[in-house]
C-alpha cells in the first residue's frame, strides 16, 4: 500500500522522489500506524456510527470533487484572451495601478522640491530598505532588474529619477555616488543609490498581479461558480429548508496521538521568509534586493 501511495504521490509531485531515505522511513512508519489504527477502529465498528459515516462521506466527496474539477472542468472555465479583453474594458476600476503611480509621482515632486529623500523612503517605502532610508548600497551591472538598472545608471549623483515601473511596483531612485572598480582586469562601473518602492501591499510575498491576471482570475471564478450551479441544478437534489448538517471539525486532525499526525508534504522544508535585503549584492541562493534579478 505504501509503495502504491508513494508512486501516486511521485506522479503528482516529482519532488517526492528526492526525499531522503531517513525521511521516507519516517513517513512509512506514520502511514503504517494510521493503517493499524484504522483497522482497529473498523473492528470496533466506529466507522458505522452515523456521525463518523457522515464525516467520511463528506471527505470522500471533497476529494472526488477536486479530482473531477481538475480533470474535467478546468478547461471549461479557462478565460480566453477575448474574454479578458472584454472584462478589462468593462471593469476599468480593476486596474488600481494608476493610484500607485499617482502616489509615486507626488513623492517625486516632494523629493525634487528638497524634502529629505531618506525620510520620504521611511514614510512611504513598502520594502525592506525603508528602515534604512531606501539605501540599496553599491551594486553593479546585471545585479538589478534591467528596467531599474537602466534608469539608475542614467542618473548623475544627486539626481532623482522619474517614476520607474518594474514587476515589483513603482520606484523613485536617487543616485548617491558612482565609482569605477577594476574586476578581473576590466573596469566596472558601480553605483550607490536609494529608492522608494510604492506597490500594492495586498499581495505581499509575490509580485503584484497585473490587471490582465486580475481579470483572468475574476472571469474564471465567475465561470466556475456558474458551472457548479448548473451541475447542482441538474442533480435534482431537494433538501428541506430546516435540514442542517454539522460541518467537519477541522481540529480533529490536530488531536491525533503523537506519531499519528499526517506527514508534511515532501517539499515542505523549513524556510526563512523571503525578505528584501539592503546588504551587498546577493550571492546565489540568498535573498535579493528589491528590483534585483
Amino acid at each position: 500500500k505504501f509503495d502504491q501511495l508513494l508512486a501516486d504521490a511521485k506522479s503528482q509531485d516529482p519532488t517526492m522522489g528526492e526525499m531522503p531515505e531517513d525521511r521516507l522511513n519516517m513517513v512509512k512508519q506514520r502511514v503504517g500506524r494510521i493503517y493499524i489504527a484504522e483497522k482497529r477502529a473498523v473492528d470496533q465498528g466506529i466507522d458505522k456510527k452515523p456521525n463518523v459515516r457522515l464525516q467520511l462521506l463528506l471527505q470522500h466527496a471533497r476529494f472526488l470533487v477536486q479530482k473531477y474539477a481538475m480533470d474535467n472542468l478546468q478547461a471549461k472555465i479557462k478565460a480566453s484572451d477575448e474574454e479578458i479583453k472584454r472584462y478589462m474594458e468593462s471593469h476599468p476600476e480593476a486596474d488600481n495601478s494608476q493610484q500607485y503611480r499617482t502616489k509615486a509621482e507626488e513623492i517625486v515632486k516632494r523629493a525634487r522640491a528638497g524634502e529629505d529623500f531618506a525620510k520620504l523612503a521611511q514614510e512611504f517605502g513598502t520594502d525592506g530598505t525603508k528602515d534604512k532610508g531606501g539605501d540599496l548600497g553599491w551594486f553593479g551591472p546585471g545585479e538589478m532588474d534591467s528596467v531599474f538598472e537602466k534608469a539608475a545608471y542614467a542618473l548623475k549623483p544627486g539626481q532623482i529619477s522619474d517614476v520607474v515601473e518594474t514587476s515589483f511596483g513603482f520606484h523613485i531612485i536617487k543616485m548617491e555616488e558612482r565609482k569605477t572598480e577594476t574586476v578581473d582586469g576590466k573596469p566596472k562601473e558601480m553605483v550607490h543609490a536609494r529608492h522608494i518602492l510604492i506597490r500594492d501591499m495586498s499581495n505581499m510575498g509575490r509580485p503584484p498581479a497585473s490587471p490582465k491576471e486580475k481579470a483572468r482570475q475574476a472571469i474564471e471564478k465567475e465561470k466556475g461558480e456558474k458551472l457548479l450551479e448548473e451541475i447542482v441544478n441538474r442533480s435534482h437534489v431537494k433538501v428541506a429548508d430546516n435540514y442542517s448538517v454539522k460541518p467537519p471539525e477541522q481540529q480533529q486532525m490536530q488531536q491525533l496521538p503523537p506519531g499519528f499526525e499526517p506527514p508534511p508534504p515532501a517539499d515542505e522544508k523549513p524556510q526563512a521568509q523571503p525578505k528584501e535585503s539592503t546588504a551587498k549584492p546577493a550571492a546565489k541562493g540568498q535573498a535579493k534586493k528589491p528590483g534585483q534579478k
Side-chain angles (χ1 to χ4, degrees):
K1 279 187 176 181
F2 180 76
D3 290 342
Q4 290 173 355
L5 284 172
L6 187 61
D8 184 59
K10 286 180 180 180
S11 69
Q12 304 279 339
D13 179 7
T15 62
M16 285 289 293
E18 303 170 4
M19 190 183 298
E21 188 66 26
D22 58 341
R23 193 164 184 273
L24 195 64
N25 288 332
M26 179 187 70
V27 175
K28 187 184 293 185
Q29 289 291 327
R30 289 184 176 180
V31 171
R33 293 188 187 112
I34 290 172
Y35 279 137
I36 292 170
E38 177 203 25
K39 183 179 184 303
R40 290 180 179 174
V42 170
D43 290 343
Q44 294 178 22
I46 293 176
D47 61 320
K48 301 295 191 297
K49 294 182 178 181
N51 62 332
V52 176
R53 282 177 56 81
L54 179 61
Q55 302 275 345
L56 292 172
L57 286 169
L58 184 55
Q59 295 299 338
H60 180 73
R62 280 178 169 169
F63 177 82
L64 290 177
V65 166
Q66 183 182 25
K67 185 66 176 172
Y68 174 68
M70 293 298 294
D71 293 352
N72 298 280
L73 303 183
Q74 196 170 42
K76 296 180 180 180
I77 66 174
K78 186 176 180 180
S80 66
D81 291 340
E82 184 59 32
E83 287 174 324
I84 292 174
K85 180 181 178 182
R86 287 200 303 267
Y87 184 93
M88 294 176 67
E89 290 173 349
S90 59
H91 296 79
E93 73 283 356
D95 182 5
N96 61 359
S97 61
Q98 185 56 45
Q99 71 183 73
Y100 296 105
R101 175 180 285 278
T102 300
K103 182 178 180 180
E105 289 172 345
E106 293 171 354
I107 296 172
V108 169
K109 292 178 182 178
R110 292 175 59 174
R112 287 176 174 172
E115 289 194 46
D116 187 281
F117 192 92
K119 289 183 178 179
L120 288 172
Q122 291 173 347
E123 181 178 355
F124 297 106
T126 58
D127 70 313
T129 68
K130 63 176 292 185
D131 294 334
K132 294 186 178 182
D135 193 353
L136 292 169
W138 289 94
F139 58 89
E143 295 178 26
M144 294 289 185
D145 175 273
S146 60
V147 176
F148 183 96
E149 181 181 302
K150 182 178 180 181
Y153 270 80
L155 299 173
K156 296 178 181 179
Q159 276 190 323
I160 295 171
S161 72
D162 293 329
V163 176
V164 179
E165 183 177 3
T166 71
S167 60
F168 294 91
F170 297 96
H171 307 257
I172 304 127
I173 308 169
K174 181 182 179 183
M175 178 59 62
E176 296 286 351
E177 308 170 79
R178 303 178 73 123
K179 66 179 179 181
T180 301
E181 293 183 347
T182 301
V183 180
D184 297 329
K186 297 180 181 179
K188 182 178 181 180
E189 188 175 12
M190 305 289 291
V191 297
H192 174 204
R194 295 179 184 269
H195 87 144
I196 302 171
L197 175 60
I198 307 298
R199 59 177 172 176
D200 185 351
M201 297 293 286
S202 64
N203 200 31
M204 288 301 294
R206 302 182 300 277
S210 65
K212 185 175 180 179
E213 176 62 18
K214 290 179 180 178
R216 184 191 66 77
Q217 293 172 357
I219 293 168
E220 293 184 354
K221 181 175 183 293
E222 182 179 344
K223 291 175 73 172
E225 291 174 349
K226 184 178 179 181
L227 183 59
L228 179 61
E229 185 178 353
E230 292 174 356
I231 293 172
V232 171
N233 289 337
R234 289 199 303 269
S235 69
H236 305 294
V237 173
K238 301 296 181 182
V239 180
D241 293 336
N242 63 348
Y243 183 79
S244 62
V245 177
K246 183 181 178 182
E249 297 178 3
Q250 298 296 330
Q251 68 270 24
Q252 286 183 348
M253 293 300 293
Q254 300 173 3
Q255 297 173 351
L256 290 172
F260 285 87
E261 303 90 344
D267 58 349
E268 185 179 295
K269 301 173 183 177
Q271 294 180 347
Q273 290 296 316
K275 62 180 180 179
E276 290 152 327
S277 171
T278 58
K280 290 294 181 180
K284 184 177 180 182
Q286 294 179 326
K288 300 178 181 178
K289 301 176 186 175
Q292 194 169 5
K293 285 184 179 177

